[in-house]
Amino acid sequence: MSYSGKYKAAVITAARKPIELWEYDHIDPGAGCINIAVVRAGVCGTDLHLWQGDSEYEEPFIIGHEGLGRVIALGEGVKTDHSGMPVAVGDVVY
């Protein structure tokens, strides 16, 4: 299955500046990769430290890595997840 469209991401562009919402083009997953449409994502303490400038990172930086979503595309060769369980388009992941 191929998915086309756009997605949005919360982005830190500089320490202590307003977080921006950027739009990106969707790309198909590479071999061995899975694309997930994230429905919910949490911002954790690490993200807060990045925004405050307490940690080094390359800007711009997409935050919110604690997510819940659905598999929308499987790259070539993907049949299972990292634990060996079968994975398919439409599966809920968290």
Side-chain angles (χ1 to χ4, degrees), residues 12 42-52 54-55 64-66:
I12 296 173
V43 175
C44 76
T46 301
D47 296 322
L48 178 60
H49 287 295
L50 293 172
W51 181 80
Q52 290 174 326
D54 298 335
S55 301
H65 60 269
E66 298 174 352

Side-chain angles (χ1 to χ4, degrees), residues 10-53:
V11 178
I12 296 173
T13 59
R16 299 190 177 270
K17 298 294 181 191
I19 293 171
E20 298 179 12
L21 192 59
W22 288 15
E23 190 172 81
Y24 293 88
D25 290 324
H26 179 282
I27 57 171
D28 287 329
C33 297
I34 298 173
N35 280 6
I36 299 167
V38 176
V39 178
R40 301 276 188 272
V43 175
C44 76
T46 301
D47 296 322
L48 178 60
H49 287 295
L50 293 172
W51 181 80
Q52 290 174 326

